[in-house]
Amino acid sequence: MAPTPARNSRTRVHVVSDVHGNARDLARAGTGADALICLGDLVLFLDYADHSRGIFPDLFGVENADRIVELRTARRFEEAREFGARLWAGIDADRGAAIEKAVRKQYAELFAAFPTPTYATYGNVDMPPLWPEYAGPGTTVLDGQRVEIGGRTFGFVGGGLRTPMRTPYEISDEEYAAKIEAVGEVDVLCTHIPPEVPELVYDTVARRFERGSKALLAAIRRTRPRYSLFGHVHQPLAPRMRIGATECVNVGHFAASGTPWALEW
């Protein structure tokens, strides 16, 4: 990939989110673009479309993966936690160490697939403390921060809000709102989760509302960025919609599509 072009030339940026272990397509996601943006969720813990893929089935087998997906889809979260606790009690391994070892293996492959330059933020299933070990010189990690690409200002806010799923990088509404505030006015607001709008947070396959951010929605209405880009909801009721002057776009479930969303100006 070429360096970020000067202000008076055309710029093309490819955006991905919810990579969930798809290193093969990630390696070519920047082809034809001046930069790649990744909105998080690199880790594949459990593939809800193929229960044989991910950290969970590697540790506990496909049959147990089938069962925990069944419980979570039915929103029987307490039963799912109890079921998971019984599985962990039955293996001779420290839970945290086993998960970290598997995540490190995935991160080594995924970060190596990032082109130069890549601008990335965390998803709710990511483990931020590990990222500095894997992000090379061509990858800039941003969270509550801004960067200029091709003459436009991009703001990045990573992570998700707290849910019964208890994924690794869930933070309080107040902490999330503070990061949104720190970004301020930008041309393109890049987050992992969507703004809190029913059509943008409802997953039509999982048949549930995911958590979106009210602070993000308020910032969109107040600062009017050109674009709000996000992922998190794999099969949204509405993949894009306009909120005032802002085009809100779910850039897609990259693990399934293998195709980045393109922004050109």
Side-chain angles (χ1 to χ4, degrees), residues 158-241:
L161 299 175
R162 289 175 180 157
T163 72
M165 302 287 282
R166 299 182 183 178
T167 50
Y169 192 42
E170 293 181 355
I171 60 177
S172 69
D173 289 61
E174 293 76 18
E175 185 179 351
Y176 194 89
K179 292 195 294 185
I180 292 288
E181 185 67 24
V183 166
E185 294 188 17
V186 294
D187 297 306
V188 184
L189 189 49
C190 300
T191 58
H192 177 67
I193 63 174
E196 181 60 57
V197 177
E199 295 88 343
L200 298 177
V201 300
Y202 186 73
D203 191 304
T204 60
V205 174
R207 303 190 305 279
R208 65 169 179 256
F209 290 96
E210 303 289 354
R211 285 214 64 190
S213 170
K214 293 179 181 178
L216 173 57
L217 177 59
I220 290 169
R221 289 172 170 162
R222 183 178 68 255
T223 65
R224 299 164 61 87
R226 295 172 186 258
Y227 291 93
S228 166
L229 307 181
F230 48 86
H232 186 56
V233 182
H234 293 175
Q235 297 88 199
L237 183 63
R240 64 191 299 163
M241 67 185 299

Side-chain angles (χ1 to χ4, degrees), residues 2-48:
T4 302
R7 186 182 294 268
N8 61 355
S9 62
R10 299 292 295 175
T11 301
R12 182 180 177 91
V13 171
H14 287 176
V15 189
V16 301
S17 185
D18 300 273
V19 176
H20 293 303
N22 189 350
R24 181 192 62 187
D25 290 324
L26 186 62
R28 50 179 179 254
T31 302
D34 299 294
L36 178 72
I37 289 174
C38 178
L39 303 182
D41 271 10
L42 298 181
V43 172
L44 178 61
F45 190 75
L46 176 58
D47 189 334
Y48 279 61

